[in-house]
Coordinates of all heavy atoms in Angstrom, one line a residue:
M1058 N 78.3 84.7 120.9 CA 79.0 85.9 120.7 C 80.4 85.8 121.1 O 80.8 85.2 122.1 CB 78.3 87.0 121.6 CG 79.1 88.3 121.5 SD 78.5 89.5 122.7 CE 79.3 88.9 124.2
S1059 N 81.3 86.3 120.2 CA 82.7 86.3 120.5 C 83.3 87.6 120.0 O 83.4 87.8 118.8 CB 83.4 85.1 119.9 OG 84.7 85.1 120.2
I1060 N 83.7 88.5 120.9 CA 84.3 89.8 120.5 C 85.8 89.5 120.4 O 86.4 88.8 121.2 CB 84.1 90.8 121.6 CG1 82.6 91.1 121.8 CG2 84.8 92.1 121.3 CD1 81.9 91.8 120.7
D1061 N 86.4 90.0 119.4 CA 87.9 89.9 119.2 C 88.6 90.3 120.4 O 88.3 91.4 121.0 CB 88.3 90.8 118.0 CG 89.7 90.7 117.6 OD1 90.6 90.3 118.5 OD2 90.1 90.9 116.5
P1062 N 89.5 89.5 121.0 CA 90.2 89.8 122.2 C 90.9 91.1 122.2 O 91.0 91.8 123.2 CB 91.1 88.6 122.4 CG 90.5 87.5 121.7 CD 89.8 88.1 120.5
A1063 N 91.5 91.5 121.0 CA 92.2 92.7 120.9 C 91.2 93.9 121.1 O 91.6 94.9 121.7 CB 92.9 92.8 119.5
L1064 N 90.0 93.8 120.6 CA 89.0 94.9 120.7 C 88.6 94.9 122.2 O 88.4 96.0 122.7 CB 87.8 94.7 119.8 CG 88.1 95.0 118.3 CD1 86.8 94.6 117.5 CD2 88.4 96.4 118.1
L1065 N 88.4 93.8 122.8 CA 87.9 93.7 124.2 C 88.9 94.4 125.1 O 88.5 95.0 126.1 CB 87.7 92.3 124.6 CG 86.8 92.1 125.8 CD1 85.5 92.7 125.6 CD2 86.6 90.6 126.1
E1066 N 90.2 94.4 124.8 CA 91.2 95.1 125.6 C 91.0 96.6 125.5 O 91.4 97.3 126.4 CB 92.6 94.6 125.2 CG 93.0 93.3 125.6 CD 94.4 92.9 125.3 OE1 95.2 93.9 125.2 OE2 94.7 91.7 125.2
I1067 N 90.5 97.1 124.3 CA 90.4 98.5 124.1 C 89.1 99.0 124.7 O 89.1 100.1 125.2 CB 90.4 98.8 122.6 CG1 91.7 98.4 122.0 CG2 90.1 100.2 122.3 CD1 91.8 98.4 120.5
F1068 N 88.0 98.2 124.7 CA 86.7 98.7 125.2 C 86.8 99.0 126.7 O 87.4 98.3 127.5 CB 85.6 97.7 124.9 CG 85.3 97.5 123.5 CD1 84.8 96.2 123.1 CD2 85.3 98.5 122.6 CE1 84.5 96.0 121.8 CE2 85.0 98.3 121.3 CZ 84.6 97.0 120.8
A1069 N 86.1 100.1 127.0 CA 86.0 100.5 128.4 C 84.5 101.0 128.7 O 83.9 101.4 127.7 CB 87.0 101.6 128.8
C1070 N 84.1 100.9 129.9 CA 82.8 101.3 130.3 C 82.7 102.8 130.0 O 83.5 103.6 130.6 CB 82.5 101.0 131.7 SG 80.9 101.6 132.3
P1071 N 81.7 103.3 129.3 CA 81.5 104.7 129.1 C 81.2 105.5 130.4 O 81.5 106.7 130.5 CB 80.3 104.8 128.1 CG 80.3 103.5 127.4 CD 80.7 102.5 128.5
Q1072 N 80.6 104.8 131.3 CA 80.2 105.5 132.6 C 81.4 105.7 133.5 O 81.7 106.8 134.0 CB 79.2 104.6 133.3 CG 78.7 105.1 134.7 CD 77.8 106.3 134.5 OE1 77.1 106.4 133.6 NE2 77.8 107.2 135.5
C1073 N 82.2 104.6 133.8 CA 83.3 104.7 134.8 C 84.7 104.5 134.2 O 85.7 104.6 134.9 CB 83.0 103.8 135.9 SG 83.2 102.1 135.5
H1074 N 84.8 104.0 133.0 CA 86.0 103.8 132.2 C 86.8 102.5 132.7 O 87.9 102.3 132.4 CB 87.0 105.0 132.3 CG 86.3 106.2 131.9 ND1 85.9 106.5 130.6 CD2 85.9 107.3 132.6 CE1 85.3 107.6 130.5 NE2 85.3 108.2 131.7
A1075 N 86.1 101.6 133.4 CA 86.7 100.3 133.8 C 86.6 99.4 132.6 O 85.8 99.6 131.7 CB 85.9 99.7 135.0
P1076 N 87.5 98.4 132.6 CA 87.4 97.4 131.5 C 86.1 96.6 131.5 O 85.3 96.6 132.5 CB 88.5 96.4 131.9 CG 89.4 97.1 132.9 CD 88.5 98.1 133.6
L1077 N 85.8 96.1 130.3 CA 84.6 95.3 130.1 C 84.9 93.8 129.9 O 86.0 93.5 129.4 CB 83.8 95.8 128.9 CG 83.3 97.2 128.9 CD1 82.7 97.7 127.6 CD2 82.3 97.4 130.0
R1078 N 84.0 93.0 130.3 CA 84.2 91.5 130.1 C 82.9 91.0 129.4 O 81.8 91.5 129.5 CB 84.4 90.8 131.4 CG 83.2 90.8 132.3 CD 83.4 89.9 133.5 NE 82.4 90.2 134.5 CZ 81.2 89.7 134.5 NH1 80.8 89.0 133.4 NH2 80.3 90.0 135.4
E1079 N 83.1 89.9 128.6 CA 82.0 89.3 127.9 C 81.2 88.4 128.8 O 81.8 87.7 129.7 CB 82.5 88.3 126.8 CG 83.0 89.1 125.5 CD 83.3 88.1 124.4 OE1 84.5 87.7 124.4 OE2 82.4 87.7 123.7
D1080 N 79.9 88.5 128.7 CA 79.0 87.7 129.5 C 77.7 87.4 128.7 O 76.9 88.3 128.5 CB 78.6 88.4 130.8 CG 77.8 87.5 131.7 OD1 77.9 86.3 131.7 OD2 77.0 88.1 132.5
A1081 N 77.6 86.2 128.1 CA 76.4 85.9 127.3 C 76.4 86.9 126.1 O 77.3 86.9 125.3 CB 75.2 85.8 128.1
E1082 N 75.3 87.6 126.0 CA 75.1 88.6 124.9 C 75.3 90.0 125.3 O 74.7 90.9 124.8 CB 73.7 88.4 124.3 CG 73.4 87.0 123.7 CD 74.3 86.8 122.4 OE1 74.4 87.8 121.6 OE2 74.9 85.7 122.3
E1083 N 76.2 90.2 126.3 CA 76.4 91.5 126.8 C 77.9 91.7 127.1 O 78.7 90.8 127.3 CB 75.7 91.7 128.2 CG 74.2 91.6 128.1 CD 73.5 91.7 129.5 OE1 74.0 91.1 130.4 OE2 72.5 92.4 129.5
L1084 N 78.3 93.0 127.2 CA 79.6 93.3 127.8 C 79.3 94.0 129.1 O 78.6 95.0 129.2 CB 80.3 94.3 126.8 CG 80.7 93.7 125.5 CD1 81.4 94.8 124.6 CD2 81.7 92.6 125.6
V1085 N 79.9 93.5 130.1 CA 79.7 93.9 131.5 C 80.9 94.6 132.1 O 82.0 94.2 132.0 CB 79.3 92.7 132.4 CG1 79.0 93.1 133.8 CG2 78.1 91.9 131.8
C1086 N 80.6 95.8 132.7 CA 81.6 96.5 133.4 C 82.2 95.7 134.6 O 81.4 95.1 135.3 CB 81.0 97.9 133.9 SG 82.2 98.9 134.8
T1087 N 83.5 95.7 134.7 CA 84.1 95.0 135.8 C 84.2 95.7 137.1 O 84.6 95.2 138.1 CB 85.6 94.6 135.4 OG1 86.3 95.7 135.0 CG2 85.5 93.6 134.2
S1088 N 83.8 97.0 137.1 CA 83.8 97.8 138.4 C 82.7 97.3 139.3 O 81.5 97.3 138.8 CB 83.7 99.3 138.0 OG 83.5 100.0 139.2
A1089 N 83.0 97.1 140.5 CA 81.9 96.7 141.5 C 81.0 97.8 141.8 O 79.8 97.6 142.1 CB 82.6 96.2 142.8
D1090 N 81.4 99.1 141.6 CA 80.6 100.2 141.9 C 79.6 100.5 140.7 O 78.6 101.1 141.0 CB 81.4 101.5 142.2 CG 82.2 101.4 143.4 OD1 81.8 100.7 144.4 OD2 83.3 102.0 143.5
C1091 N 80.0 100.2 139.5 CA 79.2 100.5 138.3 C 78.4 99.3 137.9 O 77.2 99.2 138.1 CB 80.1 101.0 137.2 SG 79.3 101.4 135.7
G1092 N 79.1 98.3 137.3 CA 78.5 97.0 136.9 C 77.5 97.1 135.7 O 76.7 96.2 135.5
L1093 N 77.4 98.2 135.0 CA 76.5 98.3 133.8 C 76.8 97.2 132.8 O 77.9 96.8 132.6 CB 76.6 99.6 133.1 CG 76.1 100.8 133.9 CD1 76.4 102.1 133.1 CD2 74.6 100.7 134.3
A1094 N 75.7 96.7 132.2 CA 75.8 95.6 131.2 C 75.3 96.2 129.8 O 74.2 96.7 129.7 CB 75.0 94.4 131.6
Y1095 N 76.2 96.2 128.9 CA 75.9 96.8 127.5 C 75.5 95.7 126.6 O 76.2 94.7 126.5 CB 77.1 97.6 127.0 CG 77.5 98.7 128.0 CD1 78.4 98.6 129.0 CD2 76.9 100.0 127.8 CE1 78.7 99.6 129.8 CE2 77.2 101.0 128.7 CZ 78.1 100.8 129.7 OH 78.4 101.8 130.5
P1096 N 74.4 95.9 125.8 CA 74.0 94.9 124.9 C 74.9 94.8 123.7 O 75.6 95.7 123.3 CB 72.6 95.3 124.4 CG 72.7 96.8 124.6 CD 73.6 97.1 125.8
V1097 N 74.9 93.6 123.0 CA 75.6 93.4 121.8 C 74.6 93.0 120.8 O 73.9 92.0 120.9 CB 76.7 92.3 121.9 CG1 77.4 92.1 120.5 CG2 77.8 92.7 122.9
R1098 N 74.4 93.8 119.8 CA 73.3 93.5 118.8 C 74.0 93.3 117.4 O 74.7 94.1 116.9 CB 72.4 94.7 118.7 CG 71.6 95.0 119.9 CD 70.5 96.0 119.8 NE 69.9 96.3 121.0 CZ 69.9 97.5 121.6 NH1 70.4 98.6 121.0 NH2 69.3 97.7 122.8
D1099 N 73.7 92.1 116.9 CA 74.2 91.7 115.6 C 75.7 91.8 115.6 O 76.4 92.2 114.6 CB 73.7 92.6 114.4 CG 72.2 92.4 114.3 OD1 71.7 91.3 114.5 OD2 71.5 93.4 114.0
G1100 N 76.3 91.4 116.7 CA 77.8 91.4 116.8 C 78.4 92.7 117.1 O 79.7 92.8 117.1
I1101 N 77.6 93.8 117.3 CA 78.1 95.1 117.5 C 77.8 95.6 118.9 O 76.6 95.7 119.2 CB 77.5 96.1 116.4 CG1 77.9 95.6 115.0 CG2 78.0 97.5 116.7 CD1 77.2 96.4 113.9
P1102 N 78.8 95.9 119.7 CA 78.5 96.4 121.1 C 77.9 97.8 121.0 O 78.3 98.6 120.3 CB 79.9 96.5 121.7 CG 80.8 95.7 120.8 CD 80.2 95.7 119.5
V1103 N 76.8 97.9 121.8 CA 76.1 99.2 121.9 C 76.6 99.8 123.2 O 76.0 99.6 124.3 CB 74.6 99.0 121.9 CG1 73.9 100.4 122.0 CG2 74.2 98.3 120.6
L1104 N 77.6 100.6 123.2 CA 78.2 101.2 124.4 C 77.6 102.6 124.7 O 78.3 103.6 124.8 CB 79.7 101.3 124.2 CG 80.4 99.9 124.0 CD1 81.9 100.1 123.8 CD2 80.2 99.0 125.2
L1105 N 76.3 102.6 124.8 CA 75.6 103.8 125.2 C 75.1 103.6 126.6 O 74.4 102.7 126.9 CB 74.5 104.1 124.2 CG 74.9 104.3 122.8 CD1 73.6 104.3 121.9 CD2 75.7 105.6 122.6
I1106 N 75.3 104.6 127.5 CA 74.8 104.5 128.8 C 73.3 104.3 128.9 O 72.8 103.6 129.7 CB 75.3 105.7 129.7 CG1 76.8 105.7 129.7 CG2 74.7 105.7 131.1 CD1 77.4 107.0 130.3
D1107 N 72.6 105.0 128.0 CA 71.1 104.9 128.0 C 70.6 103.6 127.6 O 69.5 103.2 127.9 CB 70.5 106.0 127.1 CG 70.7 107.4 127.6 OD1 71.0 107.6 128.8 OD2 70.6 108.3 126.8
E1108 N 71.4 102.8 126.9 CA 71.0 101.4 126.5 C 71.5 100.3 127.5 O 71.1 99.2 127.3 CB 71.7 101.1 125.1 CG 71.1 102.0 124.0 CD 69.8 101.6 123.5 OE1 69.4 100.4 123.5 OE2 69.0 102.5 123.2
A1109 N 72.3 100.7 128.4 CA 72.9 99.7 129.4 C 71.8 99.3 130.4 O 70.9 100.0 130.8 CB 74.0 100.3 130.1
R1110 N 72.0 98.0 130.8 CA 71.1 97.4 131.9 C 71.8 97.6 133.2 O 73.0 97.4 133.3 CB 71.0 95.9 131.6 CG 70.1 95.2 132.6 CD 70.0 93.7 132.2 NE 71.2 93.0 132.1 CZ 72.0 92.6 133.1 NH1 71.6 92.8 134.4 NH2 73.1 92.0 132.9
R1111 N 71.1 98.1 134.2 CA 71.6 98.3 135.5 C 71.8 97.0 136.2 O 71.0 96.1 136.0 CB 70.7 99.2 136.3 CG 70.4 100.6 135.7 CD 71.5 101.5 136.1 NE 71.3 102.8 135.4 CZ 72.3 103.6 135.2 NH1 73.5 103.3 135.5 NH2 72.1 104.7 134.5
P1112 N 72.8 96.9 137.1 CA 72.9 95.6 137.8 C 71.7 95.4 138.7 O 71.1 96.3 139.2 CB 74.2 95.8 138.6 CG 74.5 97.3 138.6 CD 73.8 97.9 137.5
S1113 N 71.4 94.1 138.9 CA 70.3 93.8 139.8 C 70.6 93.5 141.2 O 71.7 93.5 141.6 CB 69.5 92.5 139.3 OG 70.3 91.6 138.7

């Protein structure tokens, strides 16, 4: 998976509004307090809080 760097700069966590970073097949919130991981399906980020994986 490779998200266009220009888009990655625009994307923010819907929960806390922190920047996101790529990690395998997910976009992960960079906030230590939040840390939600959003799936990327067929190259499209699913930035829905209900679809996010909670940090372990």
Side-chain angles (χ1 to χ4, degrees):
M1058 171 190 78
S1059 181
I1060 302 290
D1061 183 335
L1064 286 176
L1065 198 55
E1066 286 185 28
I1067 296 170
F1068 290 150
C1070 176
Q1072 178 75 30
C1073 69
H1074 309 290
L1077 298 173
R1078 65 174 170 77
E1079 282 186 272
D1080 184 30
E1082 294 297 316
E1083 299 176 317
L1084 292 179
V1085 180
C1086 178
T1087 57
S1088 169
D1090 295 331
C1091 181
L1093 291 176
Y1095 299 92
V1097 177
R1098 296 188 186 121
D1099 297 324
I1101 301 170
V1103 181
L1104 299 178
L1105 300 172
I1106 296 169
D1107 292 341
E1108 295 284 327
R1110 179 179 58 77
R1111 301 276 175 205
S1113 31

